[in-house]
Every structure is written in C-alpha cells, then in structure tokens.
Amino acid sequence: MNDPNKLRWGILGAARINQQLMPAIVSAGNSELVAIASRRPGAAEETLSQYAPDQENVKIYDQPEALLDDASIQAVYLPLSNHEHGQWTLRAIESGKHVLCEKPLALAVADIEAIEAAARENNVKVMEGFMYRFHPQHIRVKEIIDSGLIGEVKSVRSCFSFLLQPARKYRLAESIGRGGGAMWDIGCYAIHAARLPFMNETPLSVTAMAKHIENGADVSCSGIIDFGDGKYGQFDFSFERARRAEYEVIGSKGGLKCHNVWAKQAETPVISWWTESGRQCVETLPAANHFQLEVEHFSDCVLTGKNPGLSLTDANTNCRIIVAALQSAAQGQRVQLD
Ligand SMILES: NC(=O)c1ccc[n+]([C@@H]2O[C@H](COP(=O)([O-])OP(=O)(O)OC[C@H]3O[C@@H](n4cnc5c(N)ncnc54)[C@H](OP(=O)(O)O)[C@@H]3O)[C@@H](O)[C@H]2O)c1
C-alpha cells in the first residue's frame, strides 16, 4: 500500500550521478524509489544493483516516456545530459509529475520561462538541483550575514576548479550549445554561489573572459556580475587549475569564507569569519549529506504544499547570467541584463 508520508519517485535515466542521488532517495525518510528508466538495455538494472542493491520491487522502464506514464509515480529526478533537461522537464510536467532536475535546468532562458508557465498550469513543483545549498554550512553563512556581523555585503568571490582527468574528458565532448564545457558543468555553481547574498538584488550586467577548446567548449572562465551600487559577484572556474571549492563574502564591517562548498558526508565543513573590530572565528559544523537533504526538502515541499527553497525565478536569473557571461566571453565586452 502507498505510504502517504512518502513521495513516490522515478529516476529518468541511468546516469553516473545516480551514485549520489539514488542512495539519497532510498535513505530519505519521506521518499520512496518506485522506478528507473534507461534507453540503454540493462543500464537501469545495473545502476540499481550498484547503488540501491537492497531495494526490491523497483520498476524498470526502457523508455523515459513509459516512466512518465506510470500513474503511481508522483515525482521524477531528472539526471539526463544537460541538453535534454529542458525538454524532458517539460514532458514530465505535462505528465503531471513534480520534477527535481539536475543543474542546469535548461540551456536557454526561453526554456525556463516555458517550464515556469507549464509548472503553474499543471500545478506541480519544479526545482533545479543545486544540492550544495541544502548543506547546513550555507544556512549558517546566511545566519552570519543576516546577523549584521560583517555589515552590508559588498562583494562575493566564488572559485571552483580541478584538473580534469583524462577519464572525465567526456565533459568537454559537447559544444557549449549542447551543454558541454565548464560553464554548464561547474560554472553554473560558481555563478549561483556568487549570487548567494544578492538573491534579492537585480543583476545589471556581466563581464567575463574564457578559454575555449577546438569544439567551442570552455575550460576556464572568470567574470564579474554587477549588482549595482558597488556590489559585485566575482566567479572563477576551471578544469585546468588546482582544486578549489570556496567562496568569500566581504561586507562593510568584515568578511567570511566557506572553505569547502562541496563538503561531502565524510568531510568537516569549515567557515571562518573576521570583523574590522578584531573579532575572528573558525567554525566547524557537523558533516551532512547535501544530496539527501535536497531530496528530503523537495519531498517535504510536495507532500506539505510548501514552495521549494530554490525557486524557478532563481533558476531563470542564474540562466540569464550564464547566457550573458558566455556572450560576454565570446564578444569580449560587458553584456547588459535588461
Ligand atoms: N549535483 C551534482 O553534484 C552533479 C554531479 C555530476 C553531474 N551532475 C549533473 O547530472 C547530470 C548527469 O551527469 P552525469 O555525468 O551523471 O551524466 P551521464 O553519466 O553522462 O548520464 C547522462 C545520461 O546520458 C545517458 N548515458 C549515460 N551513459 C551513457 C553512455 N555510456 N552512452 C550513452 N548514453 C549514456 C543516460 O541516459 P539513459 O540511461 O536514458 O541512456 C543518462 O541519464 C548532468 O546534468 C550534470 O550536470 C550533477
């Protein structure tokens, strides 16, 4: 019998990232894994046996459409390739499913607008999967900022990089237009993090520069988002630099730094802060699994009718900034966001 306290999930593809999300859905107390689809014979079964070996009665579909036709499924997790996100999110919404879509939600602002309209019309919840934001360390960062400890926030600098290993070069195989390259892979996080204290501000313009490879995919990029009144969000990401996953927030009276934005379950999250008056502190927080927290949050929103913590307006703004940054890097000039 269906448990009304558990959201019934289907997974729409046998992707590598299921290594994180499949156990998260299985472990979340308010969620149940009902089905998985893959267009490749045997791939769904293999993923299931690897990442959720103890799960019985999980249905296997050989086409995403068949999973969407299953009336017992309430929500889908969408881990397909970047260029498929927009179209499959729309199809899932039109099938009456709630959708947690991997980042980026879509590669064009018009696609996000279509998703916003369809979600309203079909009365379903849709969220872009920026899992990191569900880690308690970012909630603590917001608390510090809201307390006024570092004054009015004027600047953010977010940095994400690592050396892309040969086995991972598939991330550069597609052109930017098909969702390949560093921007759609890690740059979307860097831009999202650079907006963290400026969520209520309207971005005015973006300036960026990037290095591209032969097929047009970007491998490194640095840029600045202008939020007006001297408030800037700087982002820097690369597949060619040593590992960093951090952001720094500077206010009128002090600053703070989040040292490991991707903090995994086995890692201790650390935030440090300082003030002009000479106070300083290094805070360690309890470890957490942001994937599971993301799933639990989304299930809770659907089951109780709350709005997801990451809105479609947020997804729209992030996409607008990404598209403008790509344009700025290609044209070598600042791009206004009207
Ligand atoms: N939140 C995070 O921490 C995080 C981390 C990594 C990636 N991501 C995001 O998650 C999404 C999936 O990334 P991923 O690296 O897991 O993608 P992936 O393994 O390339 O899988 C993407 C889709 O491609 C198909 N596919 C997988 N392996 C294939 C193969 N060998 N040949 C042909 N098709 C294949 C699968 O669909 P079928 O099963 O239907 O064939 C799968 O759903 C992306 O949007 C990415 O941006 C998020």
Side-chain angles (χ1 to χ4, degrees), residues 38-76:
S38 175
R39 295 160 292 193
R40 285 165 300 131
E45 290 88 339
E46 191 184 330
T47 307
L48 198 56
S49 67
Q50 272 182 305
Y51 306 133
D54 299 331
Q55 291 299 293
E56 289 171 358
N57 306 322
V58 176
K59 292 181 244 182
I60 305 280
Y61 289 108
D62 62 5
Q63 290 300 327
E65 292 91 341
L67 187 148
L68 294 180
D69 285 343
D70 183 337
S72 74
I73 292 168
Q74 296 169 286
V76 297

Short mmCIF file of all heavy atoms in Angstrom, two decimals, residues 38-76:
data_model
loop_
_atom_site.label_atom_id
_atom_site.label_comp_id
_atom_site.label_asym_id
_atom_site.label_seq_id
_atom_site.Cartn_x
_atom_site.Cartn_y
_atom_site.Cartn_z
N SER A 38 15.86 3.75 -18.43
CA SER A 38 17.06 4.00 -19.23
C SER A 38 16.79 3.53 -20.64
O SER A 38 16.18 2.48 -20.85
CB SER A 38 18.27 3.27 -18.66
OG SER A 38 19.37 3.47 -19.54
N ARG A 39 17.30 4.30 -21.61
CA ARG A 39 17.12 3.94 -23.01
C ARG A 39 18.14 2.89 -23.44
O ARG A 39 18.06 2.39 -24.56
CB ARG A 39 17.23 5.20 -23.88
CG ARG A 39 16.12 6.19 -23.61
CD ARG A 39 16.45 7.59 -24.06
NE ARG A 39 17.52 8.18 -23.27
CZ ARG A 39 17.84 9.47 -23.28
NH1 ARG A 39 17.19 10.30 -24.06
NH2 ARG A 39 18.82 9.93 -22.53
N ARG A 40 19.12 2.59 -22.56
CA ARG A 40 20.14 1.59 -22.90
C ARG A 40 19.83 0.27 -22.21
O ARG A 40 19.72 0.24 -20.97
CB ARG A 40 21.53 2.09 -22.48
CG ARG A 40 22.07 3.19 -23.41
CD ARG A 40 23.24 3.89 -22.78
NE ARG A 40 22.84 4.51 -21.54
CZ ARG A 40 23.50 4.38 -20.38
NH1 ARG A 40 24.58 3.66 -20.33
NH2 ARG A 40 23.06 4.97 -19.29
N PRO A 41 19.70 -0.82 -22.98
CA PRO A 41 19.32 -2.10 -22.38
C PRO A 41 20.26 -2.49 -21.24
O PRO A 41 21.48 -2.43 -21.39
CB PRO A 41 19.45 -3.09 -23.55
CG PRO A 41 19.34 -2.24 -24.77
CD PRO A 41 19.88 -0.88 -24.43
N GLY A 42 19.69 -2.85 -20.10
CA GLY A 42 20.49 -3.34 -18.97
C GLY A 42 21.05 -2.25 -18.07
O GLY A 42 21.48 -2.53 -16.95
N ALA A 43 21.06 -1.00 -18.54
CA ALA A 43 21.73 0.06 -17.76
C ALA A 43 20.97 0.39 -16.48
O ALA A 43 21.59 0.61 -15.42
CB ALA A 43 21.90 1.32 -18.62
N ALA A 44 19.64 0.40 -16.53
CA ALA A 44 18.86 0.72 -15.33
C ALA A 44 19.06 -0.37 -14.27
O ALA A 44 19.27 -0.07 -13.09
CB ALA A 44 17.39 0.87 -15.69
N GLU A 45 19.02 -1.63 -14.71
CA GLU A 45 19.21 -2.76 -13.77
C GLU A 45 20.59 -2.67 -13.12
O GLU A 45 20.74 -2.85 -11.90
CB GLU A 45 19.11 -4.11 -14.50
CG GLU A 45 17.73 -4.49 -14.99
CD GLU A 45 17.41 -3.95 -16.39
OE1 GLU A 45 18.06 -2.98 -16.83
OE2 GLU A 45 16.50 -4.49 -17.03
N GLU A 46 21.61 -2.33 -13.95
CA GLU A 46 22.98 -2.27 -13.44
C GLU A 46 23.11 -1.15 -12.39
O GLU A 46 23.69 -1.34 -11.31
CB GLU A 46 23.94 -2.03 -14.60
CG GLU A 46 25.38 -2.21 -14.21
CD GLU A 46 26.32 -1.88 -15.36
OE1 GLU A 46 25.94 -2.05 -16.53
OE2 GLU A 46 27.45 -1.43 -15.06
N THR A 47 22.55 0.02 -12.71
CA THR A 47 22.61 1.15 -11.77
C THR A 47 21.93 0.79 -10.46
O THR A 47 22.44 1.11 -9.39
CB THR A 47 21.88 2.38 -12.40
OG1 THR A 47 22.44 2.61 -13.68
CG2 THR A 47 22.03 3.61 -11.55
N LEU A 48 20.79 0.15 -10.59
CA LEU A 48 20.03 -0.24 -9.39
C LEU A 48 20.83 -1.21 -8.52
O LEU A 48 20.92 -1.04 -7.30
CB LEU A 48 18.72 -0.87 -9.85
CG LEU A 48 17.58 -0.98 -8.86
CD1 LEU A 48 17.21 0.37 -8.28
CD2 LEU A 48 16.37 -1.60 -9.55
N SER A 49 21.46 -2.19 -9.18
CA SER A 49 22.20 -3.18 -8.38
C SER A 49 23.46 -2.56 -7.77
O SER A 49 23.91 -2.96 -6.71
CB SER A 49 22.55 -4.41 -9.21
OG SER A 49 23.47 -4.05 -10.20
N GLN A 50 24.00 -1.51 -8.43
CA GLN A 50 25.19 -0.85 -7.87
C GLN A 50 24.85 0.07 -6.70
O GLN A 50 25.53 0.06 -5.68
CB GLN A 50 25.83 0.03 -8.95
CG GLN A 50 26.84 -0.67 -9.83
CD GLN A 50 27.42 0.31 -10.83
OE1 GLN A 50 26.70 0.97 -11.57
NE2 GLN A 50 28.74 0.40 -10.85
N TYR A 51 23.82 0.89 -6.87
CA TYR A 51 23.61 1.99 -5.91
C TYR A 51 22.42 1.79 -4.97
O TYR A 51 22.26 2.55 -4.01
CB TYR A 51 23.44 3.32 -6.67
CG TYR A 51 24.58 3.60 -7.62
CD1 TYR A 51 24.34 4.03 -8.92
CD2 TYR A 51 25.90 3.42 -7.21
CE1 TYR A 51 25.40 4.27 -9.80
CE2 TYR A 51 26.95 3.64 -8.08
CZ TYR A 51 26.69 4.07 -9.37
OH TYR A 51 27.73 4.30 -10.23
N ALA A 52 21.58 0.80 -5.26
CA ALA A 52 20.47 0.53 -4.34
C ALA A 52 20.20 -0.97 -4.33
O ALA A 52 19.11 -1.43 -4.62
CB ALA A 52 19.23 1.31 -4.79
N PRO A 53 21.26 -1.76 -3.97
CA PRO A 53 21.16 -3.23 -4.11
C PRO A 53 20.07 -3.87 -3.26
O PRO A 53 19.59 -4.94 -3.59
CB PRO A 53 22.54 -3.72 -3.68
CG PRO A 53 23.15 -2.60 -2.91
CD PRO A 53 22.55 -1.34 -3.42
N ASP A 54 19.69 -3.19 -2.17
CA ASP A 54 18.70 -3.81 -1.27
C ASP A 54 17.26 -3.45 -1.63
O ASP A 54 16.32 -3.90 -0.96
CB ASP A 54 18.96 -3.38 0.18
CG ASP A 54 20.34 -3.83 0.63
OD1 ASP A 54 20.81 -4.86 0.11
OD2 ASP A 54 20.96 -3.12 1.45
N GLN A 55 17.09 -2.62 -2.65
CA GLN A 55 15.73 -2.19 -3.00
C GLN A 55 15.02 -3.26 -3.82
O GLN A 55 15.52 -3.66 -4.88
CB GLN A 55 15.78 -0.88 -3.80
CG GLN A 55 16.22 0.31 -2.98
CD GLN A 55 15.27 0.57 -1.83
OE1 GLN A 55 14.13 0.93 -2.02
NE2 GLN A 55 15.74 0.38 -0.61
N GLU A 56 13.87 -3.66 -3.34
CA GLU A 56 13.10 -4.66 -4.09
C GLU A 56 11.92 -3.97 -4.76
O GLU A 56 11.49 -2.90 -4.33
CB GLU A 56 12.58 -5.74 -3.13
CG GLU A 56 13.72 -6.61 -2.62
CD GLU A 56 13.28 -7.53 -1.50
OE1 GLU A 56 12.10 -7.47 -1.10
OE2 GLU A 56 14.13 -8.30 -1.05
N ASN A 57 11.42 -4.58 -5.79
CA ASN A 57 10.20 -4.11 -6.49
C ASN A 57 10.34 -2.75 -7.15
O ASN A 57 9.35 -2.06 -7.37
CB ASN A 57 9.01 -4.06 -5.52
CG ASN A 57 8.80 -5.39 -4.84
OD1 ASN A 57 8.97 -6.43 -5.47
ND2 ASN A 57 8.46 -5.36 -3.56
N VAL A 58 11.57 -2.33 -7.45
CA VAL A 58 11.73 -1.08 -8.22
C VAL A 58 11.47 -1.42 -9.68
O VAL A 58 12.08 -2.35 -10.24
CB VAL A 58 13.14 -0.48 -8.03
CG1 VAL A 58 13.32 0.76 -8.90
CG2 VAL A 58 13.39 -0.14 -6.56
N LYS A 59 10.56 -0.67 -10.29
CA LYS A 59 10.19 -0.98 -11.68
C LYS A 59 11.27 -0.45 -12.64
O LYS A 59 11.86 0.59 -12.38
CB LYS A 59 8.85 -0.33 -12.03
CG LYS A 59 7.68 -0.93 -11.28
CD LYS A 59 6.38 -0.26 -11.70
CE LYS A 59 5.76 0.47 -10.53
NZ LYS A 59 4.48 1.11 -10.83
N ILE A 60 11.46 -1.17 -13.72
CA ILE A 60 12.44 -0.77 -14.73
C ILE A 60 11.68 -0.43 -16.01
O ILE A 60 10.86 -1.24 -16.47
CB ILE A 60 13.42 -1.94 -15.05
CG1 ILE A 60 14.09 -2.45 -13.78
CG2 ILE A 60 14.40 -1.54 -16.14
CD1 ILE A 60 15.24 -1.65 -13.27
N TYR A 61 11.95 0.73 -16.58
CA TYR A 61 11.36 1.10 -17.87
C TYR A 61 12.46 1.30 -18.90
O TYR A 61 13.53 1.81 -18.58
CB TYR A 61 10.55 2.40 -17.72
CG TYR A 61 9.27 2.21 -16.92
CD1 TYR A 61 9.15 2.72 -15.63
CD2 TYR A 61 8.20 1.51 -17.46
CE1 TYR A 61 7.98 2.55 -14.90
CE2 TYR A 61 7.03 1.32 -16.73
CZ TYR A 61 6.92 1.84 -15.47
OH TYR A 61 5.77 1.65 -14.75
N ASP A 62 12.17 0.90 -20.16
CA ASP A 62 13.21 1.05 -21.18
C ASP A 62 13.08 2.36 -21.96
O ASP A 62 13.84 2.61 -22.89
CB ASP A 62 13.25 -0.16 -22.11
CG ASP A 62 11.95 -0.34 -22.88
OD1 ASP A 62 11.05 0.52 -22.75
OD2 ASP A 62 11.82 -1.35 -23.62
N GLN A 63 12.10 3.18 -21.56
CA GLN A 63 11.95 4.49 -22.18
C GLN A 63 11.47 5.49 -21.11
O GLN A 63 10.61 5.14 -20.29
CB GLN A 63 10.90 4.46 -23.30
CG GLN A 63 11.32 3.69 -24.54
CD GLN A 63 12.57 4.25 -25.19
OE1 GLN A 63 12.82 5.46 -25.17
NE2 GLN A 63 13.38 3.37 -25.77
N PRO A 64 11.98 6.73 -21.14
CA PRO A 64 11.52 7.73 -20.17
C PRO A 64 10.01 7.97 -20.26
O PRO A 64 9.34 8.17 -19.25
CB PRO A 64 12.29 8.99 -20.55
CG PRO A 64 13.40 8.55 -21.42
CD PRO A 64 13.04 7.24 -22.02
N GLU A 65 9.46 7.90 -21.49
CA GLU A 65 8.02 8.14 -21.67
C GLU A 65 7.19 7.15 -20.84
O GLU A 65 6.16 7.51 -20.27
CB GLU A 65 7.59 7.97 -23.14
CG GLU A 65 8.13 9.00 -24.10
CD GLU A 65 9.46 8.59 -24.71
OE1 GLU A 65 10.13 7.69 -24.13
OE2 GLU A 65 9.83 9.17 -25.74
N ALA A 66 7.66 5.89 -20.82
CA ALA A 66 6.90 4.85 -20.10
C ALA A 66 6.88 5.14 -18.61
O ALA A 66 5.86 4.95 -17.94
CB ALA A 66 7.53 3.48 -20.38
N LEU A 67 8.01 5.64 -18.10
CA LEU A 67 8.05 6.00 -16.67
C LEU A 67 7.09 7.16 -16.39
O LEU A 67 6.35 7.16 -15.41
CB LEU A 67 9.48 6.37 -16.26
CG LEU A 67 9.73 6.60 -14.77
CD1 LEU A 67 11.16 6.19 -14.38
CD2 LEU A 67 9.48 8.02 -14.34
N LEU A 68 7.06 8.13 -17.32
CA LEU A 68 6.16 9.27 -17.12
C LEU A 68 4.69 8.86 -17.19
O LEU A 68 3.83 9.52 -16.61
CB LEU A 68 6.46 10.37 -18.15
CG LEU A 68 7.83 11.03 -18.04
CD1 LEU A 68 8.01 12.11 -19.11
CD2 LEU A 68 8.05 11.62 -16.65
N ASP A 69 4.41 7.77 -17.90
CA ASP A 69 3.02 7.29 -17.99
C ASP A 69 2.58 6.51 -16.75
O ASP A 69 1.40 6.17 -16.62
CB ASP A 69 2.86 6.36 -19.21
CG ASP A 69 2.83 7.15 -20.51
OD1 ASP A 69 2.59 8.38 -20.44
OD2 ASP A 69 3.07 6.54 -21.58
N ASP A 70 3.51 6.20 -15.86
CA ASP A 70 3.19 5.42 -14.65
C ASP A 70 2.51 6.33 -13.63
O ASP A 70 3.15 7.21 -13.02
CB ASP A 70 4.50 4.83 -14.08
CG ASP A 70 4.26 3.95 -12.86
OD1 ASP A 70 3.22 4.12 -12.19
OD2 ASP A 70 5.11 3.10 -12.58
N ALA A 71 1.23 6.11 -13.45
CA ALA A 71 0.44 6.99 -12.57
C ALA A 71 0.82 6.86 -11.10
O ALA A 71 0.47 7.73 -10.29
CB ALA A 71 -1.05 6.69 -12.75
N SER A 72 1.55 5.80 -10.75
CA SER A 72 1.91 5.64 -9.33
C SER A 72 3.09 6.53 -8.95
O SER A 72 3.42 6.67 -7.78
CB SER A 72 2.24 4.17 -9.03
OG SER A 72 3.50 3.84 -9.57
N ILE A 73 3.75 7.11 -9.94
CA ILE A 73 4.92 7.96 -9.67
C ILE A 73 4.47 9.42 -9.54
O ILE A 73 3.77 9.95 -10.40
CB ILE A 73 5.96 7.81 -10.80
CG1 ILE A 73 6.54 6.39 -10.76
CG2 ILE A 73 7.06 8.85 -10.69
CD1 ILE A 73 7.35 6.02 -11.96
N GLN A 74 4.90 10.04 -8.42
CA GLN A 74 4.50 11.43 -8.18
C GLN A 74 5.56 12.44 -8.63
O GLN A 74 5.25 13.54 -9.04
CB GLN A 74 4.24 11.64 -6.68
CG GLN A 74 3.09 10.82 -6.12
CD GLN A 74 3.09 10.88 -4.61
OE1 GLN A 74 3.93 10.27 -3.96
NE2 GLN A 74 2.17 11.63 -4.05
N ALA A 75 6.85 12.04 -8.47
CA ALA A 75 7.93 12.99 -8.78
C ALA A 75 9.03 12.28 -9.54
O ALA A 75 9.25 11.09 -9.35
CB ALA A 75 8.51 13.55 -7.48
N VAL A 76 9.71 13.03 -10.40
CA VAL A 76 10.86 12.44 -11.09
C VAL A 76 12.12 13.22 -10.75
O VAL A 76 12.10 14.44 -10.59
CB VAL A 76 10.70 12.37 -12.63
CG1 VAL A 76 9.54 11.48 -13.00
CG2 VAL A 76 10.57 13.72 -13.25
#
